[in-house]
Amino acid sequence: MIQQGIAIGVVGAGTMGRGIAQLFAEAGHEVRLYDVQDGAAVRARDFVADLLRRAADKGRITPEQAQAVLERIQLQTTLDGLAGCDVVIEAVIEDLGVKRELFRTLEPIVGDQAILASNTSSLLVAEIAAACRRPQRVAGLHFFNPVPLMKVVEVIPAVRTAPETVATLRQLVQGTGHRAVVAADQPGFLVNHAGRGLYTEGLRVIEEQAATPAQVDILIREAAGFRMGPFELLDLTGLDVSGKVMESIYEQFQHEPRFRPSSLVRPRIAAGLYGRKSGEGWYRYQGQQRIEPERQPPPPLPDGLKVWISRDAEQHAGIATLAHKAGAQVVSEMSQADLLVLQPWGRDATSCCVAQGVDATRAVALDPLPGLDRHRTVMLSAVTTPGARDAALALFSSDGVPATLIGDSPGFVVQRILVTIVNIAANIAQRGIATVADLEDAVKLGLGYPQGPLTMGDAIGPMRVLTILRNMHACTGDPRYRPSPWLQRRATLGVSLLTPEAPRT
């Protein structure tokens, strides 16, 4: 059991190390901070002092509380100063050799009952623990930046980590007010693993020239309700960093197609287009201010426009009402119409036109996913005429709801990105990498998604998610879209994706 005020060692006083030190000092623990670089620990403590002073100035804490937190961060000049610590957390360079040597050196300094925890974000904890005499006392403890504000921490047991080590670390984290989630020692652990879908599928969309990066981001924000789209996030984290993570997870999962990185990334890294820190990435920046691409106003609605709506359109009545209010006429015969409207799930407009015998030159598809009242997605076929294109954009913008025009794409943009996120999450649950509850909370807290991924799948409808994936798989032949068994079983049984596995004992 964790007692208030235990001694916690932190090795590494960079961005992560100083954040970890602040978090545990604020929780009432004695923190001993060490860094091999002269002056680094002093600078870290000064940085925390400045944060605490500003918090006191704003009335969030008292000056006395700020001083008490600062006094609990004790600087050490050697590793020997960590003797007697109950837990030591390393936040040093992401290098296996460095971390293994550090733990090998620490073991004789700290007591036999001390826990050694690594803040690694990409290395297997088992490989770090292999250098230790007591691997049962070694685990991963992965924090996110900025540590005091990001309210989730991954506890990663290696193959030989003792259950009591995991329990102690969970309790330690939860005592800070953060959510501790347990993740298996697998590539990307939990948060980075679950976050692959947004990036890789967003990149896939622009690879296919179906939409621009700005259009993808707009749709993910405004139609799907995310705080940021994939390309905004890549610019924020830095493409040089994110690109390495994408490559690493793909390699470590033995080239699993669901995690396949994009060939667009390496040339951009070579060109120095990292994002905010380089002044240009998927967007251009002036200082830290992004230069937004200009949004063009929709064209005027053609006089006497006649619209045909596919009988199997999910929002047939809503589209008809919109057309009537705009002054267009809804007709029952395709031959009479200037504009033909389809609403496919997981298919592209062209294949739907062929399957339904629809004239593709006059056809567009409207994404039927919820979010129609926030932002619409209009998809062209491969041969939609400019006249039909402009008429569709005018019609679907006529009530003031913004609409984005995209090229032919199986699953539009939002459908394909959301179901990829759901499918990866279902596979995480299938493999037991995390519990459903930990998975849902980790994604909301660590990635900032509006819902947990399986809750997101339930909102779309498990059978609909399965249909979209199957249709995308059939349309593209790409195994990245093959549905997870976890998803298939729950969808075909008609139960929630949050339903856990049946107990075996």
Side-chain angles (χ1 to χ4, degrees):
M1 297 290 290
I2 291 291
Q3 301 296 321
Q4 191 73 359
I6 69 167
I8 298 174
V10 178
V11 181
T15 300
M16 297 304 294
R18 72 191 181 206
I20 294 167
Q22 178 185 344
L23 178 69
F24 287 113
E26 289 179 335
H29 299 291
E30 172 196 332
V31 178
R32 302 181 196 173
L33 181 62
Y34 168 79
D35 195 291
V36 68
Q37 184 181 358
D38 287 343
V42 173
R43 290 192 296 272
R45 191 173 184 272
D46 289 346
F47 183 90
V48 174
D50 185 55
L51 290 179
L52 293 170
R53 185 163 46 250
R54 281 186 276 167
D57 290 343
K58 294 177 181 178
R60 296 174 184 164
I61 57 176
T62 67
E64 292 76 19
Q65 288 171 326
Q67 184 61 31
V69 170
L70 198 60
E71 288 175 358
R72 285 195 285 269
I73 301 176
Q74 303 172 8
L75 307 187
Q76 307 299 316
T77 56
T78 68
L79 285 176
D80 289 336
L82 304 182
C85 282
D86 301 280
V87 176
V88 177
I89 305 164
E90 67 80 8
V92 301
I93 187 172
E94 193 74 346
D95 180 278
L96 178 61
V98 171
K99 291 179 187 290
R100 291 179 71 163
E101 182 58 32
L102 172 62
F103 277 11
R104 188 183 293 114
T105 303
L106 278 170
E107 270 200 308
I109 294 173
V110 298
D112 283 354
Q113 296 307 305
I115 293 173
L116 300 180
S118 172
N119 183 50
T120 181
S121 60
S122 62
L123 301 172
L124 288 176
V125 179
E127 291 187 327
I128 299 170
C132 295
R133 195 167 41 83
R134 300 185 302 278
Q136 68 274 17
R137 304 295 291 174
V138 179
L141 198 61
H142 183 210
F143 297 82
F144 296 86
N145 187 39
V147 174
L149 300 181
M150 293 295 286
K151 298 292 186 179
V152 64
V153 181
E154 294 175 321
V155 180
I156 305 116
V159 178
R160 298 178 66 183
T161 303
E164 55 268 25
T165 299
V166 177
T168 298
L169 290 175
R170 286 191 70 170
Q171 187 182 0
L172 180 65
V173 167
Q174 287 164 184
T176 69
H178 281 32
R179 172 74 158 90
V181 297
V182 178
D185 191 18
Q186 290 288 290
F189 307 132
L190 180 50
V191 173
N192 282 333
H193 184 167
R196 292 309 89 205
L198 181 64
Y199 293 133
T200 59
E201 198 59 28
L203 285 160
R204 186 77 172 172
V205 169
I206 66 166
E207 275 183 18
E208 297 170 10
Q209 298 286 295
T212 66
Q215 287 176 322
V216 173
D217 285 344
I218 287 167
L219 289 170
I220 290 300
R221 279 198 324 269
E222 298 185 11
F226 284 55
R227 286 189 296 197
M228 297 181 77
F231 299 99
E232 296 169 297
L233 282 166
L234 287 170
D235 272 6
L236 181 64
T237 57
L239 191 62
D240 52 334
V241 175
S242 296
K244 289 177 183 176
V245 173
M246 284 188 273
E247 294 277 0
S248 173
I249 289 178
Y250 181 58
E251 292 291 334
Q252 290 181 73
F253 271 115
Q254 288 80 47
H255 295 183
E256 162 58 55
R258 292 189 183 102
F259 307 122
R260 186 189 310 125
S262 171
S263 61
L264 298 177
V265 171
R266 284 191 179 183
R268 299 184 72 86
I269 292 175
L273 300 176
Y274 302 149
R276 287 181 182 271
K277 63 186 176 184
S278 64
E280 186 174 0
W282 302 103
Y283 298 90
R284 293 176 58 229
Y285 298 86
Q286 288 182 339
Q288 287 299 303
Q289 188 69 33
R290 186 171 73 217
I291 301 172
E292 297 286 354
E294 186 178 352
R295 296 197 194 187
Q296 298 298 321
L301 192 76
D303 292 335
L305 179 68
K306 295 179 180 178
V307 181
W308 174 88
I309 307 164
S310 175
R311 289 181 180 84
D312 62 359
E314 186 79 11
Q315 287 127 356
H316 191 289
I319 297 169
T321 299
L322 178 66
H324 286 308
K325 287 183 177 178
Q329 180 184 353
V330 176
V331 298
S332 58
E333 298 297 328
M334 279 192 283
S335 59
Q336 302 172 337
D338 307 301
L339 181 66
L340 311 174
V341 180
L342 308 168
Q343 285 203 300
W345 293 103
R347 299 175 67 185
D348 59 14
T350 296
S351 65
C352 288
C353 288
V354 173
Q356 297 185 37
V358 172
D359 178 3
T361 63
R362 292 179 286 150
V364 299
L366 179 70
D367 193 343
L369 262 184
L372 191 69
D373 58 339
R374 297 192 300 263
H375 198 118
R376 299 186 178 106
T377 309
V378 181
M379 178 167 65
L380 308 178
S381 79
V383 292
T384 302
T385 64
R389 175 200 65 200
D390 291 348
L393 193 55
L395 172 62
F396 292 116
S397 305
S398 62
D399 60 351
V401 174
T404 292
L405 195 70
I406 67 167
D408 216 358
S409 165
F412 294 87
V413 171
V414 177
Q415 278 187 34
R416 63 189 290 178
I417 289 178
L418 293 190
V419 300
T420 299
I421 291 169
V422 173
N423 197 35
I424 288 173
N427 204 52
I428 288 172
Q430 176 71 53
R431 295 187 55 173
I433 289 172
T435 66
V436 167
D438 280 359
L439 168 60
E440 292 286 289
D441 285 350
V443 168
K444 286 186 291 184
L445 295 171
L447 297 174
Y449 290 3
Q451 297 173 303
L454 300 179
T455 300
M456 195 182 298
D458 277 352
I460 298 169
M463 184 53 75
R464 183 141 284 157
V465 172
L466 183 58
T467 297
I468 294 169
L469 286 167
R470 283 174 172 171
N471 286 344
M472 289 172 64
H473 193 192
C475 188
T476 65
D478 193 333
R480 71 188 279 114
Y481 303 120
R482 69 195 193 282
S484 159
W486 176 282
L487 169 62
Q488 292 189 71
R489 291 171 189 141
R490 283 151 185 77
T492 53
L493 287 170
V495 300
S496 167
L497 296 181
L498 297 164
T499 306
E501 288 293 302
R504 299 176 196 172
T505 57

